[in-house]
Amino acid sequence: MTTGPALGVCYYPEHWPEARWAEDAAAMREFGIRYVRIGEFAWGRMEPEPGIHDWSWLDRAIRTLAEAGLDIVLGTPTASPPKWLVDRHPDILPHDEKGHVRGFGSRRHYTASSDTYWRESARIVESMAARYGDHPKVVGWQIDNEFGDNDSILSYGPEDIAGFRRWLRGRYQTPEALNEAWSNVFWSMEVSSFDDVGAPVGTVGEANPSARLDYRRYFSDRFAEYCAMQAAIIRRLSPGRFVTHNFMSLFHDFDHFKMAESLDFASWDSYPLGKVESFPFSDDERIRWARTSHPDMSALHHDLFRGMAGNSFWVMEQQPGPVNWGKWNPAPAPGMVRLWSWEAFAHGAETVSYFRWRQFGVAQEQMHSGLHRPDGQISPGGREARRVAQEIADFCALPASQQAKVAIVFDYEASWILKIQPQGQDFNYSVLVHNWYEALRRCGVDIDFVAPGASLAGYALVIVPTLPHVSPAALAAFQAFDGIILFGPRSGSKTRHYAIPENQPPGPLQELIALKVAEVSSLRPGLAFGLSGAVSGTGGRWIETIETALAPAAVDDAGEPVLVRDGRRLYLGAWIEGETLRRFARSLLVEAGLDVIDLPDHIRLRRRGDLVFAFNYGTEPWPIPAAGPALRIGAAEIPPRDLACWTDQLS
Ligand code: GLA
């Protein structure tokens, strides 16, 4: 199978005078753009009064874009309910942890708990899909926009509590079963009716962790069902078109794998620079990567979202220049917009779509760049995107991404569990996964992400950075796997109901490796421990006391086991990072029989079919080590902030 590559752009006809649409559409085609995404915030213009639709402007916009030859992706407009809807149905509004209403005036002002909102959403989606579903140039749909943006998954109002109670009733049937599951005997928390249950916030002391985990599960389920509800309407009225959603990076508040079940493929919005500020990098790293981003920041998410559905993905929004929402918003270093675009293709993207065609010099996002400046002149990022368009014209197709040899098991619930009771405040799931990803990619390998319970067949090495709750399905997949598998600290440390397993951590994983975690220590920054054996160097943040009859593969300063293995199954009871982690990751790759290429920290490789891509995030040129590569893009020495692509003659 071959796909893409193609470019897209986000466009808002409602922001511009109609006289400009045809000119913009023609310019997009001339630019080399194939897809244009429109509509996702325009409910107020589509339905200015309750039940009174005004499709005339959208009809004309679609006609104009279609006549220019563009393929159209329609966004359902449910991320921004109009004022009349809020006034008529204030029950749709979300509430913050203090119970205050989060009101009208920006976007995402709804809670998925509200049945009213489901009804209203179904109504607008149905009308929109009935009107445009069979338009020949409407080729796909984006549902809503960035579920969870601005912390909008969890909500704490009356609708939410009612919805949570309904969900609990379905799950536990009786209050007694709920009391048992949540261990409500502790601190006299027992309830005699589901109506006694509130949102697990606003308590004097810490609220029950079991309740907090279920609260998150409830919202995760609710949003997945809400997305599936919209998808079903679109599939009925717009057959043959794709359905996707634009996910966010570094965001875990719902189970994306579950939501992706109703999508044809996942899309995500790539803002590499903004995310360098929000990820817990050190100040030195933030400064180092301020204008390029970290070389694993986008790549990790490309690999994560490629694994959600369909072995493909889109970047629905690509940062084209400075954004407006970081603490600081530098302009990308010259070359980076092009590099990020090609990096997405290298990792399997079918389309890269830039946000947005033209900077809108008013309202909230006036400081957010686009491919063009507010005065219509092309921006520096726009020039780079145009170069990408010219380059991809030479590739009529890119090969499909093949399965990698290395997989990382990624679990959204793990992130919730660690947030609920961190035990050590810097035991951060994003950082843990990022560290493993970086260590492995520094060795030049490609990586897939898989959900717990998914088949691991075909992988030589599987890393489970941590998996606190090991479901029966996950355990079965681990048992069926015959490659090398490593479980990180805190794996198997919680039951489904957020309790310590009766047989001690790692709970069910003891069926794979005979060990018990007797005690755990979290360590403040500055406290470290030495390690020797198969893991050698230093660790910090977290160390476990392991009881086992197996010979340890690595020990700490006191000679106590830190890494235990039984054949090809390993358990690591400590947090390691930096060089220590890199050496260990490398040794696992070598043991798994994989070719290792030691890369400098600013160089990354990625294969797609028979193509090899190399990306230089650094300030020095990098000579490609292979002799005489058959170059498709670039030169044998890759300049800073540039890339090369060649055909792998060995494959
Ligand atoms: C998000 C949203 C867009 C826009 C951009 C700005 O990704 O989906 O509507 O606000 O951020 O960076």
Side-chain angles (χ1 to χ4, degrees):
M1 191 186 107
T2 54
T3 49
L7 296 186
V9 76
C10 307
Y11 187 60
Y12 300 90
E14 68 276 22
H15 294 176
W16 306 105
E18 199 166 328
R20 209 159 176 177
W21 296 351
E23 192 188 310
D24 283 345
M28 287 174 201
R29 284 304 284 164
E30 207 264 327
F31 196 101
I33 281 169
R34 171 164 172 199
Y35 296 101
V36 57
R37 183 198 67 178
I38 60 170
E40 79 275 13
F41 297 117
W43 192 341
R45 289 289 173 100
M46 293 177 195
E47 190 178 7
E49 290 175 55
I52 314 280
H53 293 107
D54 177 5
W55 299 117
S56 56
W57 69 273
L58 192 52
D59 289 353
R60 292 195 299 278
I62 289 177
R63 191 182 321 127
T64 306
L65 297 166
E67 277 172 6
L70 292 155
D71 286 338
I72 297 161
V73 179
L74 281 181
T76 69
T78 48
S80 49
K83 179 75 165 74
W84 59 258
L85 179 51
V86 174
D87 290 344
R88 280 192 151 196
H89 302 290
D91 55 302
I92 71 165
L93 291 172
H95 289 67
D96 68 14
E97 288 201 18
K98 294 204 160 73
H100 298 150
V101 170
R102 302 180 77 191
F104 179 79
S106 64
R107 57 180 171 178
R108 300 223 58 78
H109 42 283
Y110 73 84
T111 171
S113 295
S114 162
D115 290 337
T116 311
Y117 200 62
W118 278 50
R119 234 183 11 253
E120 291 293 319
S121 302
R123 209 174 43 75
I124 189 68
V125 173
E126 178 125 14
S127 316
M128 199 178 170
R131 186 151 191 104
Y132 301 113
D134 61 0
H135 191 292
K137 292 300 270 181
V138 169
V139 297
W141 293 80
Q142 172 189 297
I143 292 177
D144 204 287
N145 190 80
E146 290 193 343
F147 285 125
D149 184 26
N150 282 109
D151 203 9
S152 57
I153 296 297
L154 302 184
S155 172
Y156 307 89
E159 293 290 309
D160 304 300
I161 294 167
F164 184 43
R165 288 174 182 161
R166 271 197 305 275
W167 184 88
L168 290 173
R169 229 178 243 119
R171 195 172 171 100
Y172 296 108
Q173 315 292 326
T174 66
E176 293 72 30
L178 174 82
N179 286 329
E180 176 70 25
W182 287 6
S183 307
N184 276 342
V185 62
F186 189 71
W187 288 350
S188 274
M189 292 185 296
E190 278 156 326
V191 294
S192 48
S193 145
F194 285 103
D195 292 338
D196 292 342
V197 178
V201 285
T203 47
V204 176
E206 181 190 330
N208 187 336
S210 314
R212 289 158 74 197
L213 180 58
D214 271 351
Y215 204 65
R216 285 178 171 273
R217 285 178 175 143
Y218 158 67
F219 279 101
S220 181
D221 285 0
R222 190 80 182 155
F223 270 94
E225 288 160 14
Y226 176 73
C227 179
M229 174 273 286
Q230 292 202 24
I233 295 172
I234 293 165
R235 290 189 198 288
R236 175 162 51 82
L237 296 170
S238 190
R241 274 70 173 178
F242 67 75
V243 179
T244 189
H245 171 72
N246 56 334
F247 294 106
M248 295 185 290
S249 58
L250 297 177
F251 182 79
H252 303 158
D253 279 0
F254 60 89
D255 184 342
H256 294 39
F257 288 108
K258 200 165 196 174
M259 184 178 282
E261 287 170 12
S262 63
L263 307 175
D264 291 298
F265 56 83
S267 303
W268 77 284
D269 295 345
S270 179
Y271 290 96
L273 297 193
K275 296 295 172 165
V276 165
E277 281 300 333
S278 52
F279 191 81
F281 285 125
S282 66
D283 275 354
D284 284 351
E285 285 171 302
R286 285 202 176 124
I287 288 166
R288 166 124 196 246
W289 305 117
R291 298 194 58 201
T292 58
S293 192
H294 185 286
D296 294 306
M297 180 58 70
S298 293
L300 185 155
H301 290 92
H302 294 322
D303 290 344
L304 176 61
F305 290 116
R306 188 186 61 250
M308 295 266 153
N311 189 35
S312 181
F313 68 97
W314 278 32
V315 173
M316 191 58 90
E317 298 179 13
Q318 172 63 58
Q319 176 170 359
V323 299
N324 62 313
W325 44 261
K327 280 194 200 149
W328 291 274
N329 297 294
M336 290 314 295
V337 171
R338 171 173 170 262
L339 187 156
W340 295 328
S341 308
W342 273 110
E343 182 180 55
F345 290 128
H347 284 259
E350 201 172 303
T351 295
V352 173
S353 170
Y354 298 94
F355 183 90
R356 48 189 286 158
W357 176 246
R358 187 185 307 110
Q359 184 171 350
F360 195 39
V362 297
Q364 280 94 326
E365 294 186 341
Q366 53 187 275
M367 296 300 287
H368 196 294
S369 60
L371 295 179
H372 298 85
R373 309 186 313 209
D375 69 359
Q377 294 301 304
I378 193 162
S379 65
R383 271 193 286 277
E384 292 188 26
R386 202 162 57 188
R387 181 167 168 205
V388 176
Q390 285 153 1
E391 287 171 328
I392 66 176
D394 292 340
F395 285 82
C396 34
L398 284 176
S401 283
Q402 62 274 50
Q403 182 177 346
K405 289 284 173 224
V406 181
I408 294 178
V409 174
F410 190 93
D411 183 36
Y412 287 91
E413 227 180 63
S415 179
W416 312 340
I417 289 173
L418 296 173
K419 273 190 191 140
I420 289 170
Q421 285 197 342
Q423 184 68 6
Q425 71 169 15
D426 47 12
F427 200 111
N428 177 308
Y429 189 60
S430 287
V431 174
L432 182 64
V433 173
H434 170 97
N435 287 349
W436 269 107
Y437 184 83
E438 178 182 27
L440 293 162
R441 288 205 69 223
R442 285 284 300 279
C443 298
V445 295
D446 297 332
I447 296 173
D448 289 345
F449 282 90
V450 294
S455 166
L456 301 172
Y459 293 110
L461 173 65
V462 170
I463 304 294
V464 186
T466 186
L467 188 66
H469 168 228
V470 178
S471 66
L475 182 65
F478 298 146
Q479 277 166 330
F481 179 58
D482 60 3
I484 299 173
I485 184 163
L486 175 120
F487 300 96
R490 302 177 85 161
S491 294
S493 62
K494 296 292 170 202
T495 66
R496 169 167 177 255
H497 297 305
Y498 212 109
I500 296 170
E502 280 177 14
N503 63 346
Q504 289 289 122
L509 294 179
Q510 292 177 50
E511 290 183 33
L512 302 182
I513 317 174
L515 67 91
K516 287 185 191 298
V517 175
E519 193 173 59
V520 299
S521 268
S522 60
L523 307 175
R524 62 176 301 112
L527 284 179
F529 47 87
L531 296 157
S532 55
V535 181
S536 65
T538 54
R541 299 191 196 209
W542 187 269
I543 184 158
E544 302 178 347
T545 308
I546 294 176
E547 291 175 353
T548 182
L550 295 164
V555 293
D556 66 7
D557 303 308
E560 295 297 328
V562 171
L563 178 72
V564 175
R565 69 182 298 164
D566 187 349
R568 296 158 80 79
R569 294 157 173 171
L570 294 86
Y571 182 91
L572 172 67
W575 180 291
I576 55 172
E577 58 187 44
E579 278 307 313
T580 305
L581 176 58
R582 204 144 37 244
R583 273 196 301 274
F584 179 45
R586 191 183 193 288
S587 69
L588 293 174
L589 291 167
V590 170
E591 189 189 336
L594 301 175
D595 291 337
V596 166
I597 307 169
D598 295 306
L599 297 172
D601 67 352
H602 55 282
I603 302 291
R604 294 293 183 275
L605 298 181
R606 159 81 194 167
R607 293 152 202 85
R608 181 168 170 171
D610 62 348
L611 299 176
V612 187
F613 291 85
F615 299 94
N616 183 355
Y617 272 72
T619 50
E620 302 298 325
W622 188 70
I624 301 171
L631 283 161
R632 299 282 304 270
I633 303 177
E637 183 167 89
I638 308 177
R641 285 85 196 250
D642 210 319
L643 65 125
C645 168
W646 63 91
T647 309
D648 185 357
Q649 286 137 332
L650 300 177
S651 63

